[in-house]
Amino acid sequence: MALQIGDRVPEFSLKDQHGNMFTSNSIVGSKAMVIFFYPKDDTPGCTKEACSFRDSYEEFKELGAEVIGISSDSEKSHQKFASKYELPFILLSDEKKKVRKSFKVDNNLFNLLPGRETYVIDKKGNVIMVFNSISASKHMKKALEALKSAVAK
């Protein structure tokens, strides 16, 4: 079972698309995070999902959140994907699927595809939204709604 609302975000460190080490603790305490786990770079659904986050990235920033995409693709694959679609946010390479396991993201579609799951984490590091759906088009909207709702409180 995936992380639940109210759970603390697991600490993790992974390399981003530029080869730099990213640590979750570098953001916790300073801004909210939207973390979306997706199956594979440059596939139709994942491209649609990443581009929807790209197109609303400024809105996420205005709400004080950093957007982070995580898949098991390599840093080099992420670099090509980010460049091809002009993705302004952080893409993390979880080749050993350690972070995916720490978030308890299950596989979808008869256990063949890595799961597609999105988390919104508040500034304090607590999970305020979990959304699990193979439908790539809904993740950005759900994350944005959750952030707007949290900011309004």
Side-chain angles (χ1 to χ4, degrees):
M1 176 141 56
L3 292 180
Q4 303 294 308
I5 292 172
D7 287 349
R8 185 100 177 127
V9 66
E11 276 184 45
F12 63 90
S13 297
L14 292 171
K15 289 203 174 179
D16 69 12
Q17 70 266 38
H18 306 293
N20 300 319
M21 188 57 76
F22 170 87
T23 305
S24 58
N25 286 345
S26 68
I27 290 187
V28 171
S30 63
K31 55 172 103 165
M33 287 185 274
V34 174
I35 299 175
F36 69 99
F37 288 89
Y38 64 99
K40 185 125 185 77
D41 288 345
D42 216 2
T43 56
C46 297
T47 298
K48 182 176 186 177
E49 181 178 19
C51 288
S52 71
F53 277 106
R54 175 201 64 202
D55 295 345
S56 296
Y57 184 63
E58 289 304 316
E59 247 185 296
F60 284 101
K61 280 179 50 179
E62 286 168 14
L63 291 166
E66 185 55 66
V67 175
I68 301 163
I70 301 177
S71 81
S72 59
D73 293 297
S74 68
E75 298 157 44
K76 194 171 190 172
S77 175
H78 281 339
Q79 192 173 35
K80 287 179 188 173
F81 187 46
S83 179
K84 183 175 181 179
Y85 295 102
E86 299 178 6
L87 304 177
F89 47 82
I90 299 164
L91 291 178
L92 297 176
S93 177
D94 188 19
E95 290 182 277
K96 294 181 180 166
K97 301 179 181 167
K98 286 183 178 180
V99 175
R100 180 175 285 277
K101 286 177 187 158
S102 73
F103 275 75
K104 302 177 182 103
V105 177
D106 292 328
N107 285 351
N108 287 331
L109 201 61
F110 309 110
N111 218 22
L112 297 174
L113 282 178
R116 184 183 306 278
E117 201 155 313
T118 299
Y119 295 86
V120 177
I121 292 120
D122 69 13
K123 189 176 173 178
K124 295 175 191 163
N126 299 311
V127 176
I128 61 170
M129 185 213 80
V130 179
F131 183 68
N132 181 331
S133 173
I134 199 67
S135 175
S137 62
K138 298 178 182 176
H139 287 258
M140 184 282 296
K141 291 175 188 164
K142 291 283 188 185
L144 199 53
E145 286 170 11
L147 266 177
K148 285 180 178 177
S149 177
V151 169
K153 288 181 182 177

